[in-house]
């Protein structure tokens, strides 16, 4: 019998944030970006023992998959989405 992997649940706010991020992503790479963000967020949630992806996990995934060259622009993008970048400094400063 094939093994089926349970689909990770996403709360509405996390899904909304993901869609906002994707709306800012160039159309030619949007599907690939969505797959990468979803996969990373679900892996992070699973690693934390969660059965649901929340906003914090989406933000952590977003920072993780953002190329180093454009990562300095993330605080400005977070502000556009109504997020306080200071709350995510621990994620943003991780590689500096």
């Amino acid at each position: 019998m094939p093994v089926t992997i349970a689909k990770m649940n996403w709360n509405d706010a996390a899904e909304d944030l993901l869609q906002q991020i994707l709306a800012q992503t160039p159309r030619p790479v949007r599907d690939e970006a969505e797959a990468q963000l979803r996969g990373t967020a679900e892996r992070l949630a699973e690693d934390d023992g969660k059965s649901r992806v929340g906003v914090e996990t989406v933000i952590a995934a977003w920072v993780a998959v953002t190329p180093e060259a454009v990562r300095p622009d993330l605080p400005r993008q977070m502000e556009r989405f109504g997020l306080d970048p200071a709350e995510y400094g621990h994620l943003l400063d991780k590689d500096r």
Side-chain angles (χ1 to χ4, degrees), residues 18 21-22 25-40 65:
L18 175 69
I21 293 166
L22 292 172
T25 304
R27 201 173 290 284
V29 295
R30 197 171 291 169
D31 289 345
E32 182 182 327
E34 180 175 8
Q36 188 178 23
L37 269 169
R38 279 191 188 279
T40 301
V65 303

Side-chain angles (χ1 to χ4, degrees), residues 14-85:
E15 184 66 39
D16 288 347
L17 177 59
L18 175 69
Q19 294 307 317
Q20 287 180 359
I21 293 166
L22 292 172
Q24 303 300 313
T25 304
R27 201 173 290 284
V29 295
R30 197 171 291 169
D31 289 345
E32 182 182 327
E34 180 175 8
Q36 188 178 23
L37 269 169
R38 279 191 188 279
T40 301
E42 291 179 1
R43 231 177 351 271
L44 289 171
E46 195 174 277
D47 289 350
D48 286 345
K50 298 175 183 170
S51 60
R52 186 176 199 105
V53 175
V55 170
E56 301 293 320
T57 307
V58 173
I59 293 167
W62 183 25
V63 172
V65 303
T66 298
E68 204 61 44
V70 294
R71 202 170 282 174
D73 193 46
L74 280 178
R76 184 184 61 76
Q77 289 184 35
M78 287 178 175
E79 287 173 348
R80 283 197 359 234
F81 297 149
L83 302 168
D84 181 0

